[in-house]
């Protein structure tokens, strides 16, 4: 049994991560790929049945994973991110959620054929979107900051509130239908919810305090946080079902707005854990479905209900709730369409299906099919259309991978200009000095005045368009620090820095391979040399590689002393020449280089200089 359980767990984890990789490789919505993988190994081919394989451990595993995922998502809810968006976000997660609950319940009663009791319970649950589905879609779609922030905040905040709305509706139903029930159960529900919020806030403040005071060593901080999150969830959920989600959300938001450096340092690790859990849990849930559930989702009532939720309920709740806000028509259109449901909807619906069946509501047996139909339909519809719609509405960053150059100089400006104007690649030069940005400002190159390593930069500089970062300041140590800092966000393969100065000892050279970014251009080309060449009249050139004019021929004919900078592939992707990796051009590529001016132009310039000199002497 143990070997079988371990093997099944291994298969699920591998399939989940493989699904993430396939989605990244072929630019597909990861949630869709994971759902298909789970369905294939579960109900379709019958290879695994996680619910039976894990037995009593199935629900606790899912619950703990959801708690960690929701906590990790709430750590990103910094109030500084929604400056100017507070009103629409508040309206959407309050009045908009209430409208979605009401309209969804009406649709469930009149269209899906549920009783009023089941309809209001499931209607409350269906307001959730959640970080398990919305965050991966935001990562892939590259939305502009405003719509991305709205969807992220709605997804994370609505997750626990949707579950609580379902609990509230269920308690109301028990109170109305049972002669023995008193108002104590409702009072208990509200008190438990209030306790969860206060408890989550208190635990968050306490965790932040012990980290700030140095009471936890660095290597134990991540394990301590995870232990506290699970304890916070278990305590509140033990007091009242589903309030644990509210507690971990309050804890995460509290820590996020304390701005503790320790939490920032751990964020990338927690994101990695979250990706692993999302991949595993989504495969587990879809693999646990039965063929009967899959067949039921094609019932015309369920299909019609899903269509109403997609095209009527969601748009109405958003458009009505955002009346009087500063959201543009395009932003409302995008937000009103995007509402994928995920893990919380699937897990909580199964709980209420059993609870309602035990209470005598026979129609509740279709809740699991109804939920999965909505989850799969929204994940597919929104997953495949989100990027396309955002681009049509001009609310997405272009697919062209951009370049962020840290460090203003004559070389940075010239390089930025040719890749921006001639290759149409998004580019920006960032520097904390206005003086070093003078040439970029004069040339009309986009620039950012500020320190990229400062904490507030992420709220003023949108990093979404930039896939590559070039640390090109005159300080080697600063370049290495910038690259090392942005490894988690950008990836080591996309971080580059100008060459270290020639060192007497090999130790410094060895250090360059373990910290910082990849060394740009050929070895030994420094900041000083590049800027000196530009000041001497060296020019940036682009050369088209064709079938007749091969890359080898270009290399043999290029000017002596020219420096190869990058290649713009026919696929619109940039590749930089580095000291440790040789790249070759192919037909359709464009090579960017820095080379000496043409000899004829040099002679003409010399004659002009002579004339100027004579005119000054006269």
């Amino acid at each position: 049994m143990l070997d079988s359980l371990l093997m099944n767990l291994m298969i699920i984890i591998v399939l989940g991560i493989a699904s993430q990789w396939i989605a990244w490789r072929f630019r597909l919505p990861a949630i869709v790929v994971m759902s298909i993988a789970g369905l294939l190994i579960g109900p379709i081919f019958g290879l695994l049945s996680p619910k039976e394989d894990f037995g009593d451990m199935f629900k606790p595993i899912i619950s703990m994973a959801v708690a960690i995922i929701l906590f990790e998502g709430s750590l990103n809810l910094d109030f500084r991110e929604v400056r100017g968006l507070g009103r629409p976000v508040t309206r959407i997660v309050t009045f908009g959620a209430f409208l979605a609950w009401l309209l969804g319940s009406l649709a469930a009663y009149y269209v899906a054929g549920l009783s009023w009791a089941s309809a209001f319970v499931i209607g409350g649950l269906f307001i959730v979107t959640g970080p398990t589905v919305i965050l991966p879609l935001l990562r892939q779609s590259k939305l502009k900051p405003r719509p991305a922030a709205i969807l992220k905040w709605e997804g994370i905040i609505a997750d626990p509130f949707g579950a609580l709305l379902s609990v509230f509706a269920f308690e109301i139903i028990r109170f109305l239908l049972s002669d023995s029930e008193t108002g104590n159960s409702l009072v208990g529900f509200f008190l438990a919810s209030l306790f969860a919020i206060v408890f989550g806030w208190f635990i968050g403040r306490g965790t932040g305090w012990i980290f700030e005071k140095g009471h936890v060593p660095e290597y134990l901080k991540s394990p301590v946080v995870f232990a506290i999150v699970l304890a916070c969830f278990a305590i509140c959920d033990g007091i009242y079902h589903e309030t644990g989600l509210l507690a971990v959300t309050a804890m995460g938001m509290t820590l996020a707005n304390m701005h503790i450096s320790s939490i920032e340092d751990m964020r990338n690790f927690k994101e990695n854990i979250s990706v692993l859990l999302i991949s595993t849990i989504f495969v587990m849930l879809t693999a646990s479905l039965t063929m009967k559930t899959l067949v039921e989702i094609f019932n015309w009532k369920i299909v019609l209900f899903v269509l109403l939720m997609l095209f009527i309920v969601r748009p109405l709740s958003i458009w009505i709730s955002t009346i009087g806000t500063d959201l543009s028509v395009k932003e409302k259109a995008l937000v009103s369409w995007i509402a994928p449901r995920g893990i919380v909807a699937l897990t909580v619906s199964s709980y209420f299906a059993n609870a309602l069946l035990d209470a005598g509501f026979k129609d509740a047996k279709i809740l699991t099919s109804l939920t999965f139909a909505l989850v799969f339909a929204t994940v597919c519809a929104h997953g495949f259309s989100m990027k396309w719609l955002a681009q049509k509405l001009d609310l997405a960053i272009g697919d062209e991978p951009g370049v962020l150059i840290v460090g203003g100089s004559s070389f940075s400006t010239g390089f930025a200009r040719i890749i921006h104007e001639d290759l149409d690649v998004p580019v920006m030069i960032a520097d904390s000095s206005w003086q070093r940005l003078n040439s970029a400002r004069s040339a009309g190159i986009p620039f950012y005045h500020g320190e990229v390593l400062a904490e507030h930069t992420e709220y003023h500089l949108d990093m979404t368009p930039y896939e590559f970062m070039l640390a090109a300041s005159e300080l080697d140590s600063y370049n290495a620090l910038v690259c090392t800092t942005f490894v988690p966000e950008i990836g080591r393969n996309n971080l580059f820095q100008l060459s270290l100065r020639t060192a007497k000892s090999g130790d410094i050279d060895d250090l360059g391979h373990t910290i910082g970014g990849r060394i740009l251009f050929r070895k030994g080309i420094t900041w000083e040399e590049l800027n000196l060449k530009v000041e001497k009249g060296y020019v940036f050139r682009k050369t088209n590689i064709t079938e007749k004019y091969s890359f080898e021929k270009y290399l043999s004919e290029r000017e002596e002393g020219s420096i190869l900078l990058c290649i713009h592939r026919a696929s619109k992707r940039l590749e930089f020449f580095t000291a440790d990796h040789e790249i070759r051009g192919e037909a359709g590529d464009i090579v960017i280089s820095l080379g000496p001016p043409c000899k004829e132009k040099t002679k003409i310039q010399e004659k002009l200089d002579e004339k100027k000199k004579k005119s000054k002497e006269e």
Side-chain angles (χ1 to χ4, degrees), residues 149-192:
I150 291 171
L151 290 171
K152 182 175 74 173
W153 275 74
E154 181 202 8
I156 296 172
I157 292 177
D159 231 26
F161 280 111
L164 287 176
L165 270 180
S166 296
V167 175
F168 172 66
F170 184 67
E171 291 296 339
I172 289 287
I173 291 163
R174 288 176 56 188
F175 173 72
L176 293 176
L177 299 181
S178 176
D179 296 333
S180 59
E181 289 286 340
T182 64
N184 292 337
S185 60
L186 290 178
V187 173
F189 165 75
F190 286 113
L191 289 178

Side-chain angles (χ1 to χ4, degrees), residues 8-16 41 48 50 54 280 283-284:
N8 292 345
L9 183 60
M10 179 275 294
I11 292 172
I12 291 170
I13 293 174
V14 170
L15 270 178
I41 65 169
L48 293 178
F54 289 91
T280 304
V283 172
M284 284 181 65

Side-chain angles (χ1 to χ4, degrees), residues 303-380:
V303 172
L304 185 56
F305 170 78
V306 170
L307 292 175
L308 283 174
M309 293 294 289
L310 283 170
F311 297 102
I312 303 296
V313 173
R314 172 67 177 183
L316 275 179
S317 64
I318 295 299
W319 283 91
I320 294 175
S321 65
T322 54
I323 292 175
T325 65
D326 63 346
L327 290 186
S328 66
V329 172
K330 291 182 177 180
E331 289 171 334
K332 289 180 181 180
L334 179 66
V335 174
S336 68
W337 169 243
I338 304 300
R341 277 68 167 187
I343 291 175
V344 170
L346 281 174
T347 55
V348 179
S349 68
S350 62
Y351 164 78
F352 282 115
N354 294 328
L356 287 167
L357 283 171
D358 293 341
F361 297 97
K362 302 300 181 183
D363 59 307
K365 62 184 179 182
I366 71 165
L367 289 187
T368 302
S369 300
L370 193 70
T371 304
F372 179 73
L374 184 62
V375 168
F376 195 73
T378 55
V379 162
C380 290

Side-chain angles (χ1 to χ4, degrees), residues 18-28 33 140:
S19 300
Q20 291 275 8
W21 182 86
I22 291 171
W24 166 80
R25 180 66 179 82
F26 297 101
R27 298 177 178 270
L28 298 171
V33 181
Q140 292 174 332

Side-chain angles (χ1 to χ4, degrees), residues 392-403:
K392 290 294 183 182
L393 295 174
D394 194 28
L395 294 175
I397 308 299
D399 282 337
E400 190 78 24
V403 180

Side-chain angles (χ1 to χ4, degrees), residues 93-288:
V93 299
T94 53
F95 184 49
F98 175 77
L99 280 176
W101 179 27
L102 180 62
L103 294 174
S105 301
L106 292 174
Y109 177 76
Y110 287 108
V111 177
L114 296 179
S115 62
W116 280 116
S118 300
F120 271 97
V121 170
I122 206 68
L125 181 60
F126 284 165
I127 72 168
V128 305
T129 54
T132 59
V133 283
I134 200 65
L135 295 183
L137 291 183
L138 291 177
R139 249 191 318 265
Q140 292 174 332
S141 302
K142 294 185 176 180
L143 295 187
K144 289 183 178 179
R146 279 173 60 92
I150 291 171
L151 290 171
K152 182 175 74 173
W153 275 74
E154 181 202 8
I156 296 172
I157 292 177
D159 231 26
F161 280 111
L164 287 176
L165 270 180
S166 296
V167 175
F168 172 66
F170 184 67
E171 291 296 339
I172 289 287
I173 291 163
R174 288 176 56 188
F175 173 72
L176 293 176
L177 299 181
S178 176
D179 296 333
S180 59
E181 289 286 340
T182 64
N184 292 337
S185 60
L186 290 178
V187 173
F189 165 75
F190 286 113
L191 289 178
S193 301
L194 180 62
F195 171 78
I197 295 174
V198 175
F199 188 69
W201 173 86
F202 177 78
I203 293 297
R205 295 294 298 185
T207 303
W209 181 81
I210 64 174
F211 282 4
E212 283 185 311
K213 297 299 181 181
H215 295 307
V216 178
E218 200 65 34
Y219 74 95
L220 277 180
K221 286 183 177 178
S222 291
V224 165
V225 166
F226 281 116
I228 293 175
V229 169
L230 293 177
C232 180
F233 171 77
I235 291 171
C236 292
D237 214 58
I239 294 174
Y240 212 100
H241 194 64
E242 301 305 332
T243 58
L245 297 179
L246 189 61
V248 296
T249 302
M251 177 184 170
M253 288 183 65
T254 301
L255 283 170
N257 289 279
M258 290 179 71
H259 308 131
I260 303 169
S261 58
S262 298
I263 299 298
E264 293 296 320
D265 294 339
M266 291 188 295
R267 179 169 289 168
N268 298 301
F269 172 73
K270 292 190 293 293
E271 286 177 355
N272 293 335
I273 295 295
S274 181
V275 169
L276 177 63
L277 290 176
I278 290 173
S279 307
T280 304
I281 300 307
F282 222 93
V283 172
M284 284 181 65
L285 286 173
T286 51
S288 298

Side-chain angles (χ1 to χ4, degrees), residues 543-551 553-555 557-558:
T543 306
N544 293 300
I545 304 300
T546 63
E547 295 288 348
K548 293 183 178 180
Y549 191 68
S550 66
F551 184 68
K553 189 173 183 180
Y554 163 73
L555 291 179
E557 295 181 359
R558 68 191 177 101

